[in-house]
């Protein structure tokens, strides 16, 4: 599915849910007001906290909160830690309105789900979970860029690989001791190889990974090489995104399989590889020279 088709589906869902109508179901609340009440169900919160949760500007939550207070649905409390701050909290009337809102939304959802069998409902739930994960990761990745390695990146990349290797206690027999580490652009500047760098919002190189033909291996097999991430990148989903980009590059170059070697010290990396379809092998392939990497994995392309 292309991006335009997905955007069109998203617009249809928004219209189908009535989110452009200005009113939430049969309960006389605007969509923002309704979401504010739902967020306050978990407990009092400040205007800024609520704006952050709804991903809106503070000014766009201030007016709806004022309307909710005027209707007696919320009340403002002094924050215990800071008397100058105010926390919005549900009143009894607000809880009653929230109950009506939940009942109206549940009825709407029941009518929708009645059109689907159990298997279709499961597929819908899986798809929505994937979409939600993608939205959250896209937000966490804002300002980060994945691009081809440049010659000017050599020094930063070598320093990054040595720094991360030291952090994880990697020693001899691992790729950070390779003699070509200080000239990575030149190593991957070949028709059958690629190296992609991850650049942070401040322009610093914070990660990267490459593919190249497996040394001593069969034709059509590439190796995933020197994939390292600074701590600032971890938990943003950029590892998965970079890995998938590299596998796409490998397919475009005509490779049929991708091989890698790693170590138990890099547990997060091994878990990512497994989640992306790599299978652990009983033995090693080719002649990589990385004897300390006891885990060998591969997957088809």
């Amino acid at each position: 599915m292309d991006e335009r088709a997905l955007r069109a589906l998203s617009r249809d869902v928004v219209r189908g849910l009535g989110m452009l109508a200005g009113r939430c179901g049969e309960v006389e609340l605007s969509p923002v007001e309704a979401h504010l009440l739902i967020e306050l169900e978990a407990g009092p919160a400040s205007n800024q906290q609520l704006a952050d949760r709804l991903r809106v500007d503070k000014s766009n939550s201030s007016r709806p909160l004022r309307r909710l207070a005027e209707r007696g649905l919320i009340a403002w409390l002094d924050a215990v830690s800071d008397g100058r701050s105010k926390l919005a909290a549900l009143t009894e009337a607000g809880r009653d309105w929230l109950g009506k809102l939940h009942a109206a939304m549940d009825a709407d959802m029941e009518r929708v789900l009645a059109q689907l069998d159990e298997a279709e409902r499961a597929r819908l739930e899986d798809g929505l979970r994937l979409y939600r994960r993608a939205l959250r990761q896209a937000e966490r990745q804002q300002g980060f860029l994945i691009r081809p390695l440049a010659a000017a990146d050599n020094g930063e990349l070598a320093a990054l690989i040595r720094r991360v290797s030291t952090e994880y206690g990697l020693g001899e027999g691992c790729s950070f001791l390779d003699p070509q580490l200080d000239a990575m652009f030149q190593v991957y500047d070949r028709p059958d190889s690629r190296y992609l760098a991850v650049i942070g919002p401040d322009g610093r190189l914070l990660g990267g990974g490459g593919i190249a033909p497996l040394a001593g291996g069969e034709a059509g097999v590439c190796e995933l090489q020197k994939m390292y991430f600074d701590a600032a990148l971890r938990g943003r989903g950029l590892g998965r995104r970079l890995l998938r980009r590299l596998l796409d590059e490998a397919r475009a170059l005509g490779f049929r399989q991708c091989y890698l070697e790693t170590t138990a010290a890099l547990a997060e990396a091994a878990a990512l590889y497994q989640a992306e379809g790599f299978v652990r092998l009983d033995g090693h392939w080719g002649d990589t020279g990385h004897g300390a990497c006891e885990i060998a994995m591969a997957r088809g392309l």
Side-chain angles (χ1 to χ4, degrees):
M1 176 179 292
D2 62 28
E3 293 177 7
R4 284 181 178 271
L6 187 54
R7 285 171 53 202
L9 280 173
S10 295
R11 290 194 299 271
D12 284 345
V13 169
V14 168
R15 287 192 288 264
L17 291 173
M19 295 179 67
L20 302 180
R23 294 286 104 184
C24 223
E26 299 177 0
V27 180
E28 294 182 2
L29 295 170
S30 73
V32 174
E33 291 169 350
H35 280 283
L36 287 168
L37 289 183
I38 292 170
E39 290 299 325
L40 290 173
E41 192 172 21
S46 68
N47 185 9
Q48 186 63 63
Q49 289 171 327
L50 292 167
D52 291 342
R53 293 176 196 171
L54 297 185
R55 295 178 174 83
V56 299
D57 292 333
K58 188 177 178 181
S59 60
N60 291 332
S61 59
S62 297
R63 289 186 291 274
L65 283 170
R66 186 164 55 248
R67 290 194 294 268
L68 291 173
E70 290 169 353
R71 297 171 66 176
L73 303 183
I74 67 168
W76 289 101
L77 310 175
D78 291 330
V80 175
S81 59
D82 182 359
R84 296 171 297 176
S85 298
K86 297 290 185 180
L87 300 179
L90 288 175
T91 62
E92 286 302 316
R95 293 189 182 280
D96 289 342
W97 274 86
L98 187 56
K100 296 176 184 178
L101 174 64
H102 281 313
M105 295 297 99
D106 287 347
D108 285 345
M109 185 57 65
E110 185 176 353
R111 285 191 291 271
V112 172
L113 294 181
Q115 316 308 314
L116 307 175
D117 62 25
E118 285 300 319
E120 290 171 329
R121 291 186 187 194
R123 287 167 54 199
L124 174 62
E125 182 177 1
D126 288 343
L128 289 174
R129 289 185 186 279
L130 283 173
Y131 199 15
R132 182 180 65 180
R133 186 187 74 183
L135 288 169
R136 290 176 175 175
Q137 288 180 341
E139 182 179 10
R140 289 194 290 266
Q141 294 173 15
Q142 192 167 1
F144 293 87
L145 170 69
I146 297 177
R147 63 159 172 79
L149 187 69
D153 298 325
N154 276 347
E156 270 194 291
L157 180 57
L160 167 74
I161 293 175
R162 292 188 175 106
R163 183 171 70 250
V164 175
S165 297
T166 300
E167 176 188 350
Y168 282 91
L170 304 181
E172 293 186 11
C174 292
S175 61
F176 85 101
L177 293 174
D178 290 350
Q180 69 268 35
L181 196 62
D182 293 294
M184 294 278 280
F185 172 78
Q186 288 75 14
V187 170
Y188 288 91
D189 188 25
R190 299 165 42 184
D192 58 1
S193 303
R194 296 286 187 276
Y195 197 96
L196 299 177
V198 184
I199 309 300
D202 59 359
R204 290 190 303 135
L205 190 151
L206 296 173
I211 55 166
L214 174 61
E218 297 181 3
V221 179
C222 68
E223 183 187 8
L224 181 71
Q225 299 176 343
K226 296 181 176 63
M227 190 163 166
Y228 289 88
F229 271 38
D230 185 86
L233 292 185
R234 297 167 204 162
R236 297 179 183 271
L238 280 161
R240 178 178 287 104
R241 183 176 162 198
L242 176 63
L243 177 57
R244 290 177 176 178
R245 281 276 301 272
L246 289 168
L247 295 177
D248 286 342
E249 293 278 356
R251 290 187 195 95
L253 290 172
F255 291 107
R256 294 177 287 100
Q257 288 181 294
C258 185
Y259 171 80
L260 67 85
E261 293 175 348
T262 187
T263 177
L266 301 174
E268 302 98 323
L272 170 63
Y273 301 144
Q274 184 174 357
E276 290 300 306
F278 282 87
V279 176
R280 190 160 178 171
L281 305 174
D282 293 331
H284 288 61
W285 293 358
D287 184 19
T288 65
H290 302 147
C293 295
E294 76 280 8
I295 298 175
M297 308 179 80
R299 59 157 288 173
L301 298 174

